[in-house]
Amino acid sequence: MSTKLPLAGGTAVRRWMWRTLLVHRRHFAAMMLLFGLTTLVGLIGPQILGSLVDSVVTGTTTDYVDLLAAVFLVVLVVQALLARSARLRATMLGEHLLAESRESMVGHALRLPLGTVEAAGTGDLLSRATTDVDRLDYTIRNAAPEIATALITIVLTGTAMIITSPLLACGMLVAVPLMVFSTRWYFPRSLPNLAQVAANWSEVQSSTHESVEGARAIAALRLGGRRRARNEQVLDRAATSEKRHRYLLTVWLPFLELSYVLPIGAILLIGGWAYQADLVELGTIITVVLYAQAMSNPFDELFMWLEELQTGHTALQRILGVREIPVADDAASDPEEEPGRDLVIRDVRFSYRADREILHGIDLAVPAGQRLVIVGPSGAGKSTLGRLIAGISRPDSGSVAFGSTEITDLPAAQLRREVVLLTQEHHVFACSLRENLALADGDPNDDQLTDALKAVGLQDWVAALPDGLDTVLGAGGHPVPAARAQQLALARVLLADPHTVVLDEATSLLDNVTSRDLERALSTLLAGRTVIAIAHRLHTARNADQVAVMSDGRIVELGSHDELLAADGSYARLYRVAQRRV
């Protein structure tokens, strides 16, 4: 059962914003200063036009008109240059903030317990690292400059209006009730709805990803109809929440538009009366009307960005929520002494869901340095047991320990040094072959890399690469077939050099001949280490010290290959079936 990753609370969001502002206060101050100067210069234009109208009405020379036109042109050029500098500053600041947010989230996510990530489902963390980061990216890049420009423009333009004519500026008051009451109605309803929109689209992404990843299993089990129904269900929920958001906008936006238009009408009415009463001049009316018209755009930008900020706020809650998941403090939890090397499993029970137990009282002992092969039909619980041995999941009851030390009590960094789990799932990173291999050991030399590649049978493949160890693999680089990727994963295991290795169908993508040759080589290279091999190919069990046969979450047989054949039980039957298929 999937468990949703948490959302950060308002306090955590405000703390992040305040800390970010303090760290980048100089860049932020410079950006705000440039936007302020841009707005101040922009206020000169309406004053020039008002003076031009008054001078034409009262009579003036063409030279004076040309001078005003030249000054107006200079003002426009200076304003454009200041605006360019301000936006450049804002973009640079946005890039820094975005990089810090992304790196912090990914860094924390990589330290999370694997079981926690898997319990959350594949889509939740994926959507936070992609969709939510993109939303935050858009907000960080644009919100600060746009909101800063709008606020400065509104404040300075309003001040200029009052200085020009306090009487005419009173016409702006008619917009206040419309703006206040419509906004107070909208925002309390919008924020929770936007959070639901983000959660629903995360579920859509998760469902789609799972359907694509499990396409073969879905087709084999004829679950296409059920998956389509599931996808349509989550998509319908997402569409419903989007429609709710659009409805809220259709109520709010018309009131905003009225609040921009009505003040201009009010100013013209007041201006007409005041002009007749000789209280204001025609140029003053034109100046104030231009100011009022100029304020409609920053108000519109401000409210639209407040709307966008809600989306960014929700995205930030989801991103910061990943940081609220506790990770192990390796320095604080190092054991006083090294754990034992004998693997001891006592009465282990485990379930992914409370109503369905997968493992039922497993007891098993594997002395250090022995090789245990676990076999059995699909769904018997082999991979689940492997996850418990690797410390990825914690048993509901019972004990999985090295000697007397519980595996899940080991610090995460130490656990990864002690035990490595290699499954059928593998990944080739978009970097050089050398960097792909060095993931397991931070600084291996070329001889060590070459030996590991030779051990897994990749020497001929590497020799054919255009740049050898420096060849870029993965997306945008040299393609790596699935079987080769599996061999690369085995090479990483050799470089990691753990004392216990759990191989869960680690050679399933190789042909039988290559698989047997590789397993013989690995048997020599992994000598002295404890090896737990989960396999469907029973030839891997011939040279094992012990073979455990699982069925329905229980170990039904345990012994050597020869002992189990002589017992003529489940293992013997499986072996005879496998021999007939060869």
Side-chain angles (χ1 to χ4, degrees):
M1 180 180 294
S2 64
T3 303
K4 293 295 183 182
L5 298 173
L7 294 179
T11 302
V13 172
R14 288 189 294 271
R15 189 185 303 118
W16 179 89
M17 294 174 65
W18 180 247
R19 184 172 59 250
T20 301
L21 181 61
L22 287 178
V23 171
H24 299 281
R25 57 186 179 276
R26 293 183 179 178
H27 297 289
F28 187 78
M31 179 192 72
M32 294 296 291
L33 177 61
L34 286 170
F35 277 118
L37 290 174
T38 302
T39 305
L40 280 173
V41 172
L43 295 176
I44 299 174
Q47 292 288 347
I48 294 174
L49 293 178
S51 297
L52 181 61
V53 170
D54 285 339
S55 62
V56 169
V57 171
T58 58
T60 187
T61 64
T62 56
D63 290 339
Y64 184 70
V65 172
D66 290 342
L67 177 62
L68 290 178
V71 172
F72 185 75
L73 180 61
V74 171
V75 167
L76 290 179
V77 172
V78 173
Q79 185 184 20
L81 292 175
L82 287 172
R84 179 182 180 279
S85 298
R87 291 192 175 278
L88 180 61
R89 282 274 185 176
T91 301
M92 292 171 62
L93 177 60
E95 287 293 336
H96 281 299
L97 296 179
L98 176 65
E100 290 174 4
S101 299
R102 178 178 284 138
E103 290 170 4
S104 175
M105 178 192 171
V106 172
H108 192 90
L110 290 175
R111 296 171 58 208
L112 293 177
L114 183 56
T116 300
V117 176
E118 292 185 344
T122 55
D124 198 4
L125 188 60
L126 180 64
S127 66
R128 294 182 190 226
T130 54
T131 305
D132 291 319
V133 168
D134 288 342
R135 286 172 177 163
L136 186 62
D137 176 16
Y138 181 72
T139 303
I140 288 176
R141 287 170 184 262
N142 301 285
E146 296 292 346
I147 292 176
T149 303
L151 286 174
I152 294 172
T153 302
I154 290 170
V155 171
L156 295 182
T157 304
T159 303
M161 289 180 69
I162 294 172
I163 294 174
T164 303
S165 174
L167 177 62
L168 296 179
C170 291
M172 294 297 298
L173 295 177
V174 300
V176 174
L178 289 172
M179 287 184 177
V180 171
F181 290 115
S182 63
T183 302
R184 284 175 62 87
W185 176 88
Y186 171 75
F187 278 99
R189 293 168 173 80
S190 177
L191 187 57
N193 186 73
L194 284 172
Q196 189 61 49
V197 168
N200 287 339
W201 281 115
S202 170
E203 199 171 2
V204 169
Q205 190 169 8
S206 176
S207 180
T208 303
H209 177 77
E210 290 167 358
S211 296
V212 173
E213 287 291 311
R216 292 183 178 178
I218 291 170
L221 299 174
R222 300 179 182 178
L223 297 175
R226 184 182 299 180
R227 289 305 304 177
R228 282 193 296 272
R230 165 67 177 167
N231 290 341
E232 290 172 1
Q233 182 184 38
V234 297
L235 187 60
D236 183 64
R237 283 202 294 265
T240 300
S241 58
E242 286 280 6
K243 290 176 182 177
R244 168 67 177 169
H245 181 56
R246 296 294 177 262
Y247 163 73
L248 295 175
L249 287 175
T250 58
V251 175
W252 181 49
L253 293 179
F255 284 98
L256 290 185
E257 294 298 327
L258 281 175
S259 68
Y260 306 150
V261 175
L262 290 181
I264 296 176
I267 291 171
L268 290 174
L269 288 175
I270 297 172
W273 168 79
Y275 181 74
Q276 292 294 329
D278 290 329
L279 298 176
V280 295
E281 296 179 354
L282 184 61
T284 302
I285 298 174
I286 292 175
T287 299
V288 175
V289 168
L290 288 174
Y291 279 146
Q293 190 173 19
M295 287 183 73
S296 64
N297 186 59
F299 265 120
D300 199 39
E301 288 287 336
L302 178 62
F303 283 117
M304 288 301 98
W305 274 107
L306 289 177
E307 156 74 12
E308 190 62 39
L309 277 179
Q310 287 196 318
T311 302
H313 180 273
T314 301
L316 186 57
Q317 280 186 303
R318 290 168 57 79
I319 292 171
L320 295 180
V322 176
R323 300 186 192 178
E324 296 195 350
I325 304 172
V327 296
D329 185 355
D330 293 337
S333 55
D334 282 336
E336 295 182 358
E337 58 184 24
E338 288 293 317
R341 296 298 175 92
D342 293 341
L343 176 64
V344 181
I345 301 174
R346 299 186 185 92
D347 193 26
V348 163
R349 297 179 181 274
F350 179 80
S351 58
Y352 293 104
R353 299 188 311 186
D355 60 341
R356 185 177 180 185
E357 191 174 76
I358 304 299
L359 300 180
H360 316 287
I362 299 292
D363 289 296
L364 189 62
V366 184
Q370 280 202 1
R371 179 182 179 87
L372 168 72
V373 173
I374 304 175
V375 300
S378 297
K382 303 186 300 297
S383 295
T384 300
L385 180 57
R387 291 168 57 85
L388 295 179
I389 295 172
I392 293 173
S393 299
R394 183 183 292 271
D396 297 336
S397 63
S399 171
V400 181
F402 286 131
S404 59
T405 305
E406 288 291 325
I407 289 177
T408 51
D409 289 341
L410 290 173
Q414 182 181 4
L415 176 61
R416 296 284 75 85
R417 292 193 301 267
E418 302 282 351
V419 188
V420 169
L421 169 66
L422 185 61
T423 70
Q424 300 176 65
E425 300 176 2
H426 46 266
H427 184 74
V428 176
F429 294 87
C431 55
S432 69
L433 173 58
R434 176 182 283 103
E435 291 169 316
N436 263 279
L437 293 173
L439 292 169
D441 182 358
D443 192 26
N445 58 45
D446 285 2
D447 290 338
Q448 291 173 313
L449 297 179
T450 302
D451 289 343
L453 291 168
K454 184 177 180 180
V456 298
L458 285 178
Q459 64 273 22
D460 293 337
W461 180 75
V462 174
L465 293 177
D467 299 312
L469 291 173
D470 294 316
T471 302
V472 176
L473 307 178
H478 193 281
V480 181
R484 296 290 177 260
Q486 199 165 58
Q487 288 171 280
L488 284 177
L490 287 166
R492 290 191 192 118
V493 172
L494 295 179
L495 290 168
D497 194 25
H499 75 66
T500 298
V501 181
V502 182
L503 304 175
D504 187 358
E505 294 293 339
T507 61
S508 60
L509 298 177
L510 305 177
D511 60 78
N512 285 332
V513 174
T514 304
S515 174
R516 291 181 182 182
D517 292 342
L518 180 56
E519 285 169 3
R520 280 195 293 268
L522 287 176
S523 296
T524 302
L525 292 167
L526 295 176
R529 297 176 179 84
T530 303
V531 179
I532 312 297
I534 299 168
H536 286 294
R537 294 168 173 169
L538 296 189
H539 65 78
T540 60
R542 289 181 177 177
N543 299 321
D545 297 295
Q546 293 188 84
V547 179
V549 183
M550 291 192 66
S551 178
D552 296 327
R554 295 179 174 85
I555 294 180
V556 295
E557 284 188 300
L558 181 65
S560 68
H561 171 74
D562 293 334
E563 289 172 346
L564 295 182
L565 285 181
D568 198 26
S570 300
Y571 178 79
R573 289 192 294 273
L574 288 172
Y575 188 78
R576 285 194 291 268
V577 171
Q579 288 298 104
R580 287 197 293 268
R581 290 177 178 174
V582 176

